[in-house]
Amino acid sequence: MSGGWCSVERSVLNAGVGIAGERVLTPIPMAVVDTRDGWLLFDTGMNCEGLHDPEGTWGERAKTIQPRLVPEDDVRHRLGEVGVNPEEIRVVVNSHLHWDHCGGNRLFRHCPIVAQRAEMAFAREPSGCVGGGYMANHFDLPLTYDLIEGNQEIAPGVRTMTTRGHTPGHQSLLVDLESGRRVALCADAAYTYATLEHRLLSDNVWNGDETASSLERLRRLDAEGVMLVPGHEPALWARLGAPPVRLT
C-alpha cells in the first residue's frame, strides 16, 4: 500500500549516486498480510496529522526530508482500500521506529506492536546520523509493544528477519504465500533495487558493516528465488504496478 512520498537527496538512498543537491521522490510503502491468525500490518507509514501541523508533527525533518502526502495516504484509508477495517488488524510489525515507518502507530492501541528490543532502546536514546529520524511523539505512546530479540514467527508463514545496520534493531518481514511464492519486505535494509543488485549502500546508516552483512543475507534470499521488495525505491510502483498491489 502507498503511504505517500518523501523528497530526499538521491545520495541518501545510494551513496555517491547523483549530483550534489539532486532530489528524488521516494515512496513510503506499507503492507498488510492476510494470515491464518488474522490481519498483520507491516509498518504504519507517516503521521498524516502533519498535513495540518507540519512542524508540530514532524519537527525539523519536515524541512530536510519533505513529505508529499495527501489525506488518503493515512494508513486507515489505505487499509480501507483493500477491504480491511483498522480494528481488524491483529498485530502490527515495525521494521524500525523512524518517523516514516511508525507514524500511524498511535492508531493501533487495540493490538500488540512488534519491534526489536534493541530498536526501542536506541529510539529512546538516539545518536549519530540516523538519530534524527526518531520522534518520540510517533512511537513513545501508551501502546502495547511486544519487544522481541532476533528472528521470530509472528503468524503461520510470516517471520521477522533481523536486518540491523540502518538502525540497531531494524527488521524485515519474510512471508510465505499460499502459492508457494516467498516475499521479503526489506524496508530500509535495502532502500532501492540498485542497493540489492549492485550493493549500492547508503551513508545514512548506524553501522556500515552490519548494513552490508544484512544486505548479503537478503541477496542470498534473492538467489533462492525470494521476491525482494525494497523500502524506498523511486520506481517501486512502476515496477510492481499501481498501488495497492496484491501479491499472491
Side-chain angles (χ1 to χ4, degrees), residues 13 17 27 43 46 71 91 95 99 110 122 124 136 156 168 171 183 199 213 215 220 226 237 239-240:
L13 300 177
V17 175
D43 282 344
M46 303 187 75
V91 61
S95 62
W99 69 312
H110 65 282
F122 187 76
R124 287 175 169 158
Q171 59 187 355
V183 177
R199 297 186 175 91
S213 177
L215 178 61
R220 286 196 292 272
V226 177
W237 304 125
R239 192 147 167 175
L240 294 183

Side-chain angles (χ1 to χ4, degrees), residues 4 64 107 135 163 181:
T64 57
L107 305 172
M135 297 182 184
T163 46
R181 192 181 190 187

Side-chain angles (χ1 to χ4, degrees), residues 102-178:
C102 68
N105 279 20
R106 71 194 192 286
L107 305 172
F108 298 93
R109 298 173 186 263
H110 65 282
C111 66
I113 299 175
V114 177
Q116 290 287 324
R117 187 175 302 277
E119 182 67 11
M120 181 62 77
F122 187 76
R124 287 175 169 158
E125 296 185 19
S127 61
C129 66
V130 299
Y134 295 100
M135 297 182 184
N137 66 331
H138 282 45
F139 68 87
D140 204 359
L141 302 166
L143 301 168
T144 304
Y145 282 101
D146 180 5
L147 300 180
I148 64 174
E149 297 179 3
N151 303 339
Q152 184 168 308
E153 184 176 71
I154 306 300
V158 183
R159 296 175 296 286
T160 62
M161 175 182 175
T162 302
T163 46
R164 51 191 271 128
H166 174 61
T167 65
H170 190 283
Q171 59 187 355
S172 303
L173 197 71
L174 190 60
V175 182
D176 297 334
L177 301 179
E178 286 189 347

Side-chain angles (χ1 to χ4, degrees), residues 39-119:
W39 293 103
L40 178 152
L41 177 65
F42 183 62
D43 282 344
T44 61
M46 303 187 75
N47 186 341
C48 287
E49 290 181 358
L51 288 166
H52 311 291
D53 181 14
E55 291 194 15
T57 304
W58 299 319
E60 289 297 312
R61 301 290 288 184
K63 299 176 183 177
T64 57
I65 299 182
Q66 302 158 7
R68 305 290 179 86
L69 300 174
V70 295
E72 291 77 16
D73 291 322
D74 186 291
V75 63
R76 292 168 293 189
H77 181 88
R78 295 307 185 199
L79 286 170
E81 287 184 332
V82 295
V84 178
N85 187 307
E87 293 295 323
E88 294 181 277
I89 297 297
R90 185 190 67 83
V91 61
V92 173
V93 177
N94 282 144
S95 62
H96 60 305
L97 295 172
H98 274 173
W99 69 312
D100 53 330
H101 294 263
C102 68
N105 279 20
R106 71 194 192 286
L107 305 172
F108 298 93
R109 298 173 186 263
H110 65 282
C111 66
I113 299 175
V114 177
Q116 290 287 324
R117 187 175 302 277
E119 182 67 11

